Amino acid sequence: MHDLVIFDCDGVLVDSEVLSNQVMVDNLAGYGLHLSLAECMSLFVGGTMTGVRDKARELGADLPDDWTDQIYSEIYTRLRTGTPLVDGIPELLAQLDAQGIPYCVASNGRPEKMQITLGQNGLWERFSAVMFSAHVLGSGKPDPTLFLTAAQHFGATSPVVIEDSENGVTAAIRANMRCLAYAAHDDGARLAALGSEVFTDMSHVPALLGL
C-alpha cells in the first residue's frame, strides 16, 4: 500500500491545460508564432513558463523581456472565469481520506496559480499546507527534487505520483517513484514509453492503488 499520493495540479486535479494553452496560442500568434492548440500542448504541457518562453523564442517568437509576467496575467484572468476539476477527483480524494492515505500537490506552477484554480473548486483548504511548487523550491520537473521533497516532508517510503506530462513522468521515474499517468487528450503512448502506467479515467485510480 502506498503511504503518499503526490498529485500534479494542472491537468490532473484541475482541467486547466486546454484553457491555459489556448491563451498561449492566442498570445504567441501576436508575436509571430502560429501554433495549433494540439501543437502548443505537445510542446509546452508540463514545462515551466521560463522554458516555454525560451522554446517559443527558438521557434521564432519575438517575445519581450516581460513576457512571462504578461502571459501569467492573461492565463490567470482566463482561469478565474472558471476552471473545472478533472472528473472523478472529488471522489478519489474522498476515498484517500477514508483510507487515511495522505496526499499533496507538486507542480511547476506558481502557488498563486494553484490558489486560483484550486480555490474556486473547494480544494485550496485541502492542499494549501501540502503544496510543493517549483517556484518556491527553485527546481522544476523533470528534476526529481519536487517529488523527493514532498516524500521527505511526509516521511513516505512508498509514494506514488499522478502526472499527465512527460516532464512530470520523467521526474517521478528519476525519483524512483511509481507513476500513474493520466492521458486525457491522447493515447498516452509517450508517457508509457517513459515508464509510467497510463490510465484514462480517475475512477481507475483506486484499483491501481489497491484501495
Side-chain angles (χ1 to χ4, degrees):
M1 179 71 78
H2 294 288
D3 54 1
L4 175 66
V5 179
I6 304 174
F7 289 95
D8 178 46
C9 187
D10 294 300
V12 172
L13 290 174
V14 290
D15 196 6
S16 54
E17 292 289 18
V18 170
L19 302 177
S20 297
N21 278 269
Q22 186 60 56
V23 172
M24 286 199 285
V25 166
D26 296 341
N27 176 283
L28 291 171
Y31 293 107
L33 179 59
H34 298 275
L35 300 170
S36 68
L37 178 60
E39 289 169 336
C40 188
M41 293 186 70
S42 178
L43 284 167
F44 300 135
V45 164
T48 62
M49 203 58 78
T50 302
V52 172
R53 179 198 65 198
D54 294 346
K55 182 68 174 177
R57 282 175 170 167
E58 287 176 21
L59 294 171
D62 184 21
L63 302 183
D65 291 340
D66 67 346
W67 182 79
T68 53
D69 289 335
Q70 176 192 123
I71 194 67
Y72 269 124
S73 177
E74 291 180 14
I75 288 172
Y76 291 173
T77 296
R78 176 63 186 88
L79 294 177
R80 283 191 184 96
T81 67
T83 308
L85 289 176
V86 169
D87 287 344
I89 281 295
E91 294 80 5
L92 175 55
L93 296 179
Q95 284 187 272
L96 294 175
D97 287 338
Q99 297 282 342
I101 300 172
Y103 49 82
C104 65
V105 61
S107 172
N108 276 353
R110 292 180 175 182
E112 53 263 40
K113 181 182 180 184
M114 288 187 273
Q115 185 165 11
I116 292 168
T117 57
L118 298 176
Q120 62 187 267
N121 289 294
L123 294 189
W124 178 251
E125 294 75 13
R126 296 167 95 157
F127 284 101
S128 60
V130 286
M131 179 172 291
F132 300 88
S133 165
H135 287 266
V136 176
L137 291 176
S139 180
K141 310 165 194 175
D143 187 286
T145 299
L146 267 180
F147 295 148
L148 293 170
T149 301
Q152 184 178 27
H153 174 85
F154 284 90
T157 58
S158 181
V160 60
V161 173
I162 301 181
E163 265 290 348
D164 71 326
S165 73
E166 291 175 62
N167 278 342
V169 170
T170 299
I173 299 304
R174 287 178 178 174
N176 292 315
M177 296 179 183
R178 183 187 183 196
C179 185
L180 306 180
Y182 178 51
H185 304 290
D186 58 28
D187 62 3
R190 293 190 303 177
L191 303 179
L194 294 171
S196 68
E197 300 165 55
V198 172
F199 69 100
T200 57
D201 193 296
M202 285 295 166
S203 65
H204 302 163
V205 173
L208 290 168
L209 296 180
L211 301 183

